[in-house]
């Protein structure tokens, strides 16, 4: 059985045709970019997503036909909180308000008195990333658009409709909305009241791993894929990435070092002592939960630094290894705070900004670069410490662009104080979606068995902790946290 996995990212969409054992048969990637406006507004033309999906499926179907292979199921995993208003035929009525858009910051600040109540119901405090705040902003500031919209969809809902003709969403996206009750996995009347969203404007909720419909005749004629192919919602990209990394039982953390940094670990039920220093979401494994923490800038902070201070370097990432190896822990006294777009967990401070401190006439651009990377890892370590209030942790499983640096991976282990593991296959998000879809189609009994079957030949490298260096970084992390507190 072959599975076409559609992986909708922030900067591109990929389609990967897999065999059920994880063998990759064909890959297609389509790039796009967001529209950055004033005042922190970030939008995107929804046709970027629809057209990219159409072209990916068309090229994948053509390859399958040429190689006499089948496409037996399509599984979708996606970025999670961007909102697209659509009409009854699924046509977009305006640009997507993207997950990193900050127009809802004042609205969220005005709702702070409801933090505890909202967190108790949905597992997250009010924040500008999740989709419910974006929907409330639309109703208050674009009432005609809100009224005209038949559904307020997130990107995967929009794409599922154009493949199947059905308006469905799954629990992983619902749990990133501030509108779904975490324990019942239903839209919550009190949350809908607080965010002023009409239930009929939301897609019907389904468990992750559900077949949300079948490819329509129209979509078949458009792309060449067979009519009637099951379309499976594998869940959010970070949830799938966690599974693809091997976090299928408690004790491990998946860390994705992408545009932002995302940390996830699994738990079988909502912790009784859950507090709002983490987010609790639905897992891509139906019936399970995840704890999630994040930072809003990771590789994006690196790209900013490179653009401004290393513009002439042709081998920036090659030089990066040398810098991290040669400069000692603490970057000769230079310290950074990595909050270029505010801070998410543990305190959701949208007003936080990036800072470089401890700079003298002897400070070099290399010192500042290492300090920036140290600060990113120390903020991740803050979030790991939050996780350990709820579940015991043994190791950190990493993926994403920055994990390609050997020196950076060694530094991560020393800062986190736990072994860091990088698997050879970087396609963890797509692999996780494949795992979920394979269970749905009966090829494996559960995600743990699917991981063992699909990734049985995957190599991995483990980076050990140097305890003396870790002790130095613990002191630096305390200094960073103190500096942040004094600046607020």
């Amino acid at each position: 059985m072959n599975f076409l996995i559609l992986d909708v990212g922030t900067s591109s969409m990929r389609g990967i045709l897999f065999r059920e054992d994880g063998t990759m048969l064909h890959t297609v990637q389509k790039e796009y970019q967001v529209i950055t406006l004033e005042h922190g507004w970030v939008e995107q033309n929804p046709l970027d997503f629809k057209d990219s999906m159409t072209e990916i499926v068309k090229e994948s179907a053509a390859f399958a036909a040429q190689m006499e292979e089948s496409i037996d199921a399509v599984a979708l995993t996606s970025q999670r909180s961007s909102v697209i208003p659509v009409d009854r035929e699924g046509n977009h009525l305006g640009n997507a308000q993207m997950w990193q858009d900050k127009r809802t910051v004042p609205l969220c600040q005005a709702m702070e008195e409801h933090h505890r109540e909202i967190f108790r119901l949905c597992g997250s405090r009010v924040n500008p990333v999740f989709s419910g705040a974006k929907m409330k902003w639309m109703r208050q500031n674009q009432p005609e658009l809100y009224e005209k919209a038949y559904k307020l969809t997130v990107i995967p809902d929009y794409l599922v409709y154009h493949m199947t003709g059905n308006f469905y969403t799954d629990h992983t996206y619902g749990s990133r909305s501030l509108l779904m009750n975490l324990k019942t996995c239903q839209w919550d009347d009190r949350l809908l009241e607080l965010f002023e969203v009409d239930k009929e404007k939301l897609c019907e909720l389904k468990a992750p791993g559900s077949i949300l419909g079948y490819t329509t005749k129209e979509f078949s004629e458009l792309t060449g894929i067979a009519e009637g192919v099951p379309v499976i919602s594998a869940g959010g990209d970070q949830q799938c990435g966690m599974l693809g990394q091997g976090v299928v039982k408690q004790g491990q953390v998946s860390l994705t070092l992408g545009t932002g940094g995302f940390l996830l670990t699994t738990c079988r039920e909502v912790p009784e002592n859950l507090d709002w220093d983490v987010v609790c979401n639905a897992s891509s494994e139906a019936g399970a939960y995840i704890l999630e923490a994040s930072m809003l800038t990771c590789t994006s902070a690196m790209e900013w630094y490179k653009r401004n201070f290393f513009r002439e370097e042709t081998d920036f990432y090659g030089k990066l290894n040398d810098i991290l190896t040669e400069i000692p822990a603490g970057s000769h006294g230079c310290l950074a705070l990595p909050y270029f777009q505010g801070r998410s967990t543990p305190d959701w401070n949208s007003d936080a900004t990036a800072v470089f401190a401890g700079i003298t006439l002897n400070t070099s651009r290399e010192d500042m670069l290492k300090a920036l990377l140290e600060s990113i890892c120390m903020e991740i370590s803050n979030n790991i410490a939050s996780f350990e209030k709820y579940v015991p942790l043994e190791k950190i499983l990493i993926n994403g662009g920055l994990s390609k640096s050997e020196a950076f991976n060694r530094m991560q282990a020393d800062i986190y104080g736990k072994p860091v593991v990088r698997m050879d296959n970087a396609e963890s998000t797509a692999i996780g979606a494949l795992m979920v879809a394979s269970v749905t189609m009966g090829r494996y009994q559960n995600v743990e068995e699917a991981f063992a079957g699909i990734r049985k030949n995957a190599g991995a490298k483990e980076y050990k902790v140097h305890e003396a260096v870790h002790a130095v970084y613990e002191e630096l992390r305390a200094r960073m946290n103190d500096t942040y507190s004094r600046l607020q």
Side-chain angles (χ1 to χ4, degrees), residues 290-306:
I290 64 169
L291 301 180
E292 182 168 356
S294 63
M295 53 187 304
L296 300 179
T297 51
C298 192
T299 58
S300 52
M302 282 288 297
E303 289 301 317
W304 169 84
Y305 196 86
K306 175 185 173 184

Side-chain angles (χ1 to χ4, degrees), residues 57 84 103 132 158 161 194 240 309 361 385 391 469:
V57 175
I84 304 172
R103 74 187 68 181
Y158 172 73
Y161 177 84
L194 287 170
C240 285
F309 300 101
L361 293 176
V391 290
V469 182

Side-chain angles (χ1 to χ4, degrees), residues 125 276-277 343-350 352 379 484 488:
R125 60 190 287 172
W276 60 23
D277 54 349
R343 194 186 199 203
S344 51
T345 52
D347 63 349
W348 295 102
N349 181 359
S350 297
E379 180 71 353
Y484 170 76
Q488 301 316 302

Side-chain angles (χ1 to χ4, degrees), residues 122-371:
C122 73
S124 175
R125 60 190 287 172
V126 181
N127 69 82
V129 174
F130 285 16
S131 57
K134 302 179 193 302
M135 295 176 188
K136 182 171 184 176
W137 184 93
M138 185 185 298
R139 181 164 194 167
Q140 291 182 346
N141 295 274
Q142 299 174 326
E144 292 183 1
L145 177 60
Y146 177 88
E147 292 300 328
K148 187 177 181 182
Y150 176 64
K151 296 291 182 183
L152 301 176
T153 68
V154 291
I155 295 168
D157 310 345
Y158 172 73
L159 296 179
V160 164
Y161 177 84
H162 286 289
M163 284 188 279
T164 69
N166 296 329
F167 282 115
Y168 291 128
T169 195
D170 80 32
H171 299 161
T172 66
Y173 304 112
S175 66
R176 297 284 292 186
S177 69
L178 303 169
L179 303 175
M180 188 188 85
N181 186 294
L182 192 60
K183 294 183 178 179
T184 67
C185 292
Q186 299 294 323
W187 300 124
D188 186 275
D189 289 340
R190 174 56 177 160
L191 294 172
L192 293 172
E193 176 187 3
L194 287 170
F195 285 93
E196 303 176 19
V197 176
D198 297 300
K199 186 184 295 186
E200 60 267 23
K201 290 192 178 289
L202 301 174
C203 297
E204 182 180 343
L205 285 159
K206 297 285 188 179
S210 295
I211 296 174
L212 301 188
Y214 299 84
T215 52
T216 62
K217 179 180 180 181
E218 179 183 6
F219 190 68
S220 173
E221 292 173 348
L222 187 63
T223 62
I225 195 172
E227 183 181 353
V229 174
V231 176
I232 299 164
S233 183
D237 54 359
Q238 300 303 324
Q239 280 95 331
C240 285
M242 182 192 80
L243 294 179
Q245 282 293 103
V247 183
V248 292
K249 56 185 178 181
Q250 288 190 174
Q252 299 174 331
V253 173
S254 168
L255 169 58
T256 300
L257 299 156
T259 304
F262 294 92
L263 302 91
L264 297 93
T265 192
T266 190
C267 52
R268 308 315 302 176
E269 57 188 21
V270 179
E272 289 297 325
N273 62 330
L274 186 66
D275 204 352
W276 60 23
D277 54 349
V278 299
V279 173
C280 190
N281 283 174
S283 172
S284 278
E285 181 186 5
Y289 294 91
I290 64 169
L291 301 180
E292 182 168 356
S294 63
M295 53 187 304
L296 300 179
T297 51
C298 192
T299 58
S300 52
M302 282 288 297
E303 289 301 317
W304 169 84
Y305 196 86
K306 175 185 173 184
R307 185 171 62 252
N308 286 282
F309 300 101
F310 281 85
R311 189 177 304 169
E312 77 284 1
E313 293 290 343
T314 57
D315 185 22
F316 174 75
Y317 285 96
K319 188 175 180 66
L320 178 63
N321 276 317
D322 295 336
I323 292 171
L324 294 178
T325 301
E326 293 169 4
I327 295 177
S331 305
H332 297 121
C334 184
L335 180 73
L337 302 183
Y339 310 123
F340 288 82
Q341 288 186 290
R343 194 186 199 203
S344 51
T345 52
D347 63 349
W348 295 102
N349 181 359
S350 297
D351 293 328
T353 57
V355 171
F356 284 92
I359 297 174
T360 71
L361 293 176
N362 292 321
T363 303
S364 68
R365 63 176 185 170
E366 288 80 9
D367 291 331
M368 293 176 67
L369 175 57
K370 181 159 185 176

Side-chain angles (χ1 to χ4, degrees), residues 426-454:
E427 299 290 351
S428 58
T429 302
I431 291 290
L434 175 63
M435 290 163 56
V436 173
S438 297
V439 172
T440 299
M441 299 303 289
R443 314 314 288 181
Y444 299 98
Q445 292 297 312
N446 52 51
V447 293
E448 192 168 355
E449 183 182 303
F451 180 81
I454 291 169

Side-chain angles (χ1 to χ4, degrees), residues 2 22 38 52 67 130 193 197 206 239 416 423 450 479:
N2 296 334
E38 294 181 346
S52 294
M67 303 303 294
F130 285 16
E193 176 187 3
V197 176
K206 297 285 188 179
Q239 280 95 331
Y416 307 150
M423 301 192 73
R479 179 183 161 207

